[in-house]
Amino acid sequence: MASCSLIPPASSLVSSSLCKLFTSRNSMATVGLLSFAPKTSSFVLLSIKQRAYHESSFRVRSVAAPVEDVAGFDDMVAGTQRKYYMLGGKGGVGKTSCAASLAVKFANSGHPTLVVSTDPAHSLSDSFAQDLTGGTLVPVEGPECPLFALEINPDKAREEFRSATQKSGGTGVKDFMEGMGLGMLVEQLGELKLGELLDTPPPGLDEAMAIAKVMQFLESQEYSMFTRIVFDTAPTGHTLRLLSLPDFLDASIGKILKLRQKITSATSAIKSVFGQEQTTQQDAADKLEQLRERMIKVRELFRDTDSTEFVIVTIPAVMAINESSRLRASLKKENVPVKRLVVNQILPPSATDCKFCAMKRKDQLRALDMIQNDPELSNLTLIQGPLVDVEIRGVPALKFLGDIIWK
């Protein structure tokens, strides 16, 4: 049997004062041992003990994935240019744990890292065992290099929407539509008492706020330090809406601008006679055009094979595999690059006469065979994650999980 330490040597990828600062502040000591048969695909027991100066000791046990499964983490961590990783899949398959463990691994490998939850039902706080609520950047305690987390706050986003759509006591939508030359339409709607509806946050606001954050990542100096950004996405349906939103907004804005152009050309002669100003209308059109250009940038980012990758997370169950296959097909249609498939919660071969374990294991092997025969999934790098006997919570436990999955 061969043994290796769970604590990898410090990476020299990014040598910065930020890493040194975070290392000096790290108060957590972790001791662990991983044992495996190096040239076999058998499963063996591994354990890790974690100690904190202010916490009691506890033990996490799991079964390691086959040793030939390699996630290609060396490629993921290589280079200092910024890269985006989006982890998504069916609800309840362990997306948050995988995303958080990847973020911890990036930070411990020398990359200033940001992990972002775009799921309205956030779990990052639970995963890191730290309060990350509030919709602002929060430093995560423990990693050797800077690691920050952000949970997009839907309530805060709705309040910002209401504030942004109100102007001089009137509805912001009315002001905007008047600027587009459609004020008469809004007045007619006002007679129907639809003012509150106009100021109500629209469906898909959560996805829109996630897109807004992505634009901030691209443009704001506040986020320039991060070389790795990891997204813990919502379940499949929400994520597909998020990825298709830039195309939808681009097309919608284009139609609005064409409508405005037709209305403007029809009324320009009359307005020129009466000397009415068109500055407000032009400002509104310019803002829409700017938004359209930013949406194009986000769309290009989602499809950039050099800087973006979507990682599908699933479990070895027939329904989960089928949904993952459909997700892969949808991502291919959106031209979103996908290279890896994480199959989480895999059971070991039973060493006892446990009939339940044997049946469950047989069912999982059937699901794994489905992956090999699935035209959408078979060409992806397969990463097998272990089933552990406790919840993975806190940076030490996430480091433990990341060292198993992200090899």
Side-chain angles (χ1 to χ4, degrees), residues 353-367:
D353 58 354
C354 172
K355 293 183 179 179
F356 172 81
C357 300
M359 289 299 296
K360 189 67 176 177
R361 170 74 177 164
K362 184 177 180 180
D363 193 52
Q364 290 190 347
L365 290 175
R366 186 183 305 115

Side-chain angles (χ1 to χ4, degrees), residues 126-333:
D126 296 326
S127 187
F128 282 104
Q130 182 179 339
D131 185 9
L132 305 173
T133 58
T136 59
L137 292 180
V138 179
V140 176
E141 301 173 0
E144 298 169 5
C145 268
L147 172 60
F148 284 77
L150 171 65
E151 290 185 343
I152 298 176
N153 188 331
D155 294 331
K156 184 178 179 181
R158 291 186 183 95
E159 187 60 36
E160 289 176 351
F161 179 87
R162 293 188 184 97
S163 299
T165 56
Q166 291 179 352
K167 178 180 177 183
S168 302
T171 65
V173 175
K174 179 179 179 181
D175 295 325
F176 174 79
M177 295 291 279
E178 285 180 345
M180 295 298 295
L182 303 175
M184 184 178 296
L185 175 62
V186 177
E187 289 177 2
Q188 292 174 350
L189 290 175
E191 294 177 0
L192 298 176
K193 308 296 183 183
L194 296 180
E196 291 184 3
L197 178 61
L198 291 173
D199 282 335
T200 300
L205 178 64
D206 297 320
E207 288 80 12
M209 292 307 300
I211 290 291
K213 286 297 179 184
V214 174
M215 289 190 292
Q216 288 183 6
F217 299 154
L218 289 172
E219 300 171 357
S220 175
Q221 191 65 26
E222 178 184 6
Y223 301 98
S224 61
M225 65 175 283
F226 299 112
T227 56
R228 292 294 181 273
I229 296 181
V230 180
F231 289 91
D232 172 30
T233 69
T236 305
H238 286 275
T239 300
L240 290 177
R241 283 200 299 271
L242 168 65
L243 295 173
S244 62
L245 188 58
D247 280 330
F248 172 77
L249 290 178
D250 182 21
S252 299
I253 293 171
K255 291 178 181 178
I256 293 174
L257 290 174
K258 288 181 181 178
L259 176 61
R260 177 197 174 276
Q261 186 177 11
K262 291 180 180 180
I263 294 174
T264 301
S265 61
T267 60
S268 58
I270 298 175
K271 289 186 177 182
S272 61
V273 171
F274 291 95
Q276 294 183 5
E277 295 289 337
Q278 300 186 37
T279 304
T280 303
Q281 295 184 27
Q282 188 58 46
D283 288 345
D286 290 342
K287 289 179 180 178
L288 272 181
E289 188 60 44
Q290 291 173 8
L291 177 60
R292 186 181 186 183
E293 292 174 357
R294 296 171 81 186
M295 285 300 103
I296 292 174
K297 288 183 180 179
V298 173
R299 179 179 61 193
E300 291 174 349
L301 173 67
F302 285 163
R303 298 172 179 177
D304 187 349
T305 57
D306 294 328
S307 62
T308 303
E309 179 184 339
F310 195 101
V311 180
I312 299 176
V313 183
T314 188
I315 56 174
V318 172
M319 287 193 296
I321 298 299
N322 286 336
E323 182 166 323
S324 298
S325 179
R326 293 191 294 270
L327 173 59
R328 172 71 172 96
S330 298
L331 293 171
K332 186 186 296 184
K333 185 178 179 180

Side-chain angles (χ1 to χ4, degrees), residues 1-121:
M1 298 290 287
S3 298
C4 64
S5 173
L6 278 180
I7 307 178
S11 173
S12 58
L13 178 63
V14 179
S15 162
S16 68
S17 58
L18 287 172
C19 297
K20 296 178 181 177
L21 174 62
F22 269 66
T23 303
S24 65
R25 291 175 57 187
N26 187 356
S27 62
M28 186 70 70
T30 305
V31 179
L33 183 66
L34 169 64
S35 298
F36 56 85
K39 294 185 178 180
T40 70
S41 61
S42 62
F43 291 78
V44 291
L45 185 68
L46 63 85
S47 65
I48 183 171
K49 292 183 179 179
Q50 298 166 311
R51 293 195 303 271
Y53 299 130
H54 57 284
E55 297 178 3
S56 58
S57 298
F58 64 93
R59 179 183 295 265
V60 178
R61 295 186 301 276
S62 74
V63 177
V67 297
E68 68 267 17
D69 286 348
V70 178
F73 184 74
D74 288 344
D75 293 333
M76 299 171 76
V77 80
T80 56
Q81 72 277 12
R82 175 181 290 182
K83 292 183 180 179
Y84 299 83
Y85 289 89
M86 309 179 73
L87 280 76
K90 184 178 173 64
V93 299
K95 296 185 298 296
T96 300
S97 295
C98 289
S101 65
L102 178 59
V104 170
K105 182 115 181 179
F106 277 141
N108 284 337
S109 299
H111 282 286
T113 303
L114 172 63
V115 56
V116 184
S117 172
T118 64
D119 189 344

